[in-house]
Amino acid sequence: MAERKYKWNRWKEIFHSKKGMGVVEVILIIVVLIGLVIIFQTNIKGVVASIFSTIQKNAGSIK
């Protein structure tokens, strides 16, 4: 009985804990990532095009 009460109290503690990331932090991370993608959009397109061209060139050599 005491063990069950301990587990229940532990679950309540976890769900009511204020630790961890909040919604604001997650939104800020997403905004920063989108900003980086917009800033480096041309570089990203070049890298992806290079990767796909390399894959396309070497696809015939796989047996």
Side-chain angles (χ1 to χ4, degrees), residues 2-50:
E3 183 178 338
R4 179 179 273 177
K5 188 173 184 177
Y6 170 76
K7 286 182 181 180
W8 175 251
N9 287 336
R10 182 69 182 133
W11 278 109
K12 285 191 334 188
E13 179 183 325
I14 290 170
F15 283 120
H16 294 295
S17 175
K18 300 295 181 192
K19 296 177 184 176
M21 286 196 301
V23 175
V24 175
E25 288 88 356
V26 173
I27 291 173
L28 286 174
I29 290 170
I30 292 171
V31 167
V32 168
L33 289 175
I34 291 172
L36 288 172
V37 168
I38 291 171
I39 291 171
F40 296 107
Q41 185 176 10
T42 55
N43 294 4
I44 293 171
K45 284 181 181 178
V47 169
V48 170
S50 172

